[in-house]
Amino acid sequence: MHSPNNLTPMGHQEKSPLPPHVLIFPLPIQGHVNSMLKLAELLSLAAVHVTFLVSDFSHRRLLRHADIHSRFSRYPGFCFETISDGLPDDHPRAGERIMDIMPSIKNVTGPLFKEMMVATDCLRSEDRRPVTCIIADGVLSFAGDFALEKGIQLVYFRTVSACSFWACFCFHEIIEAGEVPLKGNGMDLQVKSVPGMEGFLRRRDLPGFCRVDEVSDPRFQVIKNETRQTTRAQAVILNTFEDLEGPVLSHIRTRMPNLFTIGPLHAHLKSRLSEEKTTITPPSTASGSFWEEDRSCIEWLDRKPPKSVIYVSFGSITVLSRDQLMEFWKNEFIQSVDRMAKMAKEAVSGGGSSYCNLDRLIEFIRSMVV
């Protein structure tokens, strides 16, 4: 006679096998933390154990400005761990000094991270496996070093768009083509050395840290080097969806074939929570949401006298009157936002590309547990 799956032959209940244990480690900048928290919640919904490692400073900010513990209290497999980012408490960690975080993270947080992981046997506890997968921000190469050293599955999460990531990945080619350093000249010239973006990428579209006088600039070098090592990971996550950036994604896959596009994460999370029949506030329509979020811009336009000239940079449009800009904003731009919102909703709905890719990511995480 066969015993039930959860019973031993003597009738004693067996202990259920422990689920995978994922360590999620964002760069301690608010936009990165927010995106990766949404991923943490999606994995928690899938009954994956998640440890979210965040800087002390970012954790205090989350406690002050978000009901973070209440939000995650529904997930018994989720927990926070904190670590120093190496900067003094009064450092702004924003604006012109935002890049100060990079050398501090490397020189202070990196050694602390390794020490913590070794001391805790990779965060093992009575009811948790040691970490089976590290999902690290794509610019935290020391986390990748540790994962590869210990044989832990490594996944990099790039929180920027696919276009932005691919442009950063191609910095070597951009430098060889003489398109960087910019030195403030020729900002409207096209950048032709990024495959798939030759027809629309201009020098002014490159990230601000490209506006350096010499390519030896430390800020530029750290992003260039950190981005290039992304290929070491077993997989890469992007917060985008196939219909939005498909042509560029096809180029990224030539270097990183195991690519999971699971965005937009905020819409994905709402979709999955709805499936769980959790009571949530329904999302507003794209146009309504747009007008609410950009009310200050509309009010600013309304204060401008009719016939006033406004300089903008949007494709080929460079100069518009106030009335022309209002008309463009209400018609062309809103229609574009509506189309994008519809595509995003389809991507995160059942059978959509992001929906299927998240399921595929979860199976990938589970496949490494023995």
Side-chain angles (χ1 to χ4, degrees), residues 1 6 46 79 84 112 117 128 143 189 203 272 275 308 323 361:
M1 179 181 296
N6 62 334
C79 70
S84 173
L112 288 176
M117 294 293 282
R128 284 176 178 250
L189 293 175
R203 293 189 181 188
R272 293 278 171 152
E275 288 181 7
S308 59
D323 293 340
L361 172 65

Side-chain angles (χ1 to χ4, degrees), residues 204-225:
R204 68 169 63 254
D205 299 323
L206 294 172
F209 50 78
C210 290
R211 298 181 185 182
V212 296
D213 292 330
E214 300 295 337
V215 293
S216 59
D217 181 274
R219 298 175 302 165
F220 180 80
Q221 284 293 321
V222 71
I223 298 298
K224 177 176 72 72
N225 295 333

Side-chain angles (χ1 to χ4, degrees), residues 108-368:
V108 178
T109 309
L112 288 176
F113 170 74
K114 184 172 184 178
E115 179 182 319
M116 177 190 73
M117 294 293 282
V118 171
T120 61
D121 190 17
C122 295
L123 303 176
R124 180 200 294 267
S125 66
E126 183 178 346
D127 58 351
R128 284 176 178 250
R129 299 172 180 269
V131 167
T132 56
C133 176
I134 294 177
I135 300 180
D137 201 296
V139 295
L140 300 181
S141 60
F142 63 82
D145 293 340
F146 181 84
L148 296 174
E149 176 188 338
K150 298 297 182 180
I152 300 172
Q153 180 174 274
L154 173 64
V155 178
Y156 275 134
F157 187 132
R158 296 304 306 235
T159 59
V160 296
S161 69
C163 286
S164 179
F165 166 66
W166 185 233
C168 292
F169 188 85
C170 293
F171 277 166
H172 285 280
E173 291 77 10
I174 292 174
I175 293 169
E176 290 177 358
E179 293 166 331
V180 165
L182 303 178
K183 298 186 177 179
N185 298 319
M187 298 298 284
D188 285 323
L189 293 175
Q190 286 189 326
V191 177
K192 299 183 179 181
S193 54
V194 180
M197 300 173 67
E198 304 94 336
F200 60 87
L201 185 66
R202 298 168 301 168
R203 293 189 181 188
R204 68 169 63 254
D205 299 323
L206 294 172
F209 50 78
C210 290
R211 298 181 185 182
V212 296
D213 292 330
E214 300 295 337
V215 293
S216 59
D217 181 274
R219 298 175 302 165
F220 180 80
Q221 284 293 321
V222 71
I223 298 298
K224 177 176 72 72
N225 295 333
E226 291 286 319
T227 302
R228 201 70 174 193
Q229 57 88 45
T230 309
T231 55
R232 302 189 302 166
Q234 284 81 53
V236 176
I237 298 171
L238 289 176
N239 186 13
T240 188
F241 56 99
E242 296 292 325
D243 285 344
L244 182 64
E245 298 186 275
V248 171
L249 291 170
S250 65
H251 285 279
I252 295 175
R253 286 190 169 100
T254 64
R255 303 300 298 272
M256 290 151 266
N258 202 14
L259 185 66
F260 296 96
T261 55
I262 61 172
L265 282 168
H266 66 282
H268 210 153
L269 189 54
K270 288 180 180 179
S271 175
R272 293 278 171 152
L273 285 172
S274 296
E275 288 181 7
E276 295 292 318
K277 299 182 180 178
T278 303
T279 302
I280 60 170
T281 302
S284 53
T285 63
S287 57
S289 176
F290 173 82
W291 286 109
E292 285 298 318
E293 293 175 5
D294 290 85
R295 186 181 299 278
S296 60
C297 296
I298 301 303
E299 291 174 349
W300 178 82
L301 281 172
D302 285 339
R303 292 194 296 270
K304 296 296 179 185
K307 311 301 181 185
S308 59
V309 175
I310 300 166
Y311 292 83
V312 298
S313 176
F314 195 92
S316 61
I317 300 170
T318 55
V319 181
L320 293 173
S321 70
R322 172 196 174 279
D323 293 340
Q324 287 173 325
L325 184 55
M326 286 291 289
E327 187 68 18
F328 170 76
W329 205 319
K330 291 178 180 178
N331 294 326
E332 302 294 332
F333 195 36
I334 290 298
Q335 290 178 19
S336 177
V337 170
D338 283 342
R339 288 194 299 271
M340 191 180 302
K342 182 180 179 181
M343 289 191 299
K345 184 177 181 180
E346 290 173 352
V348 300
S349 298
S353 61
S354 293
Y355 188 99
C356 294
N357 282 338
L358 177 62
D359 285 347
R360 193 165 60 88
L361 172 65
I362 292 167
E363 288 307 310
F364 176 73
I365 289 170
R366 287 174 175 159
S367 71
M368 303 302 290

Side-chain angles (χ1 to χ4, degrees), residues 73-90:
S73 62
R74 72 184 78 178
Y75 307 117
F78 176 90
C79 70
F80 278 106
E81 291 287 344
T82 61
I83 195 169
S84 173
D85 63 11
L87 293 173
D89 288 342
D90 60 354

Side-chain angles (χ1 to χ4, degrees), residues 31-44:
H32 294 239
V33 172
N34 290 344
S35 295
M36 295 182 80
L37 265 176
K38 290 179 173 65
L39 174 62
E41 193 161 2
L42 284 166
L43 294 182
S44 296

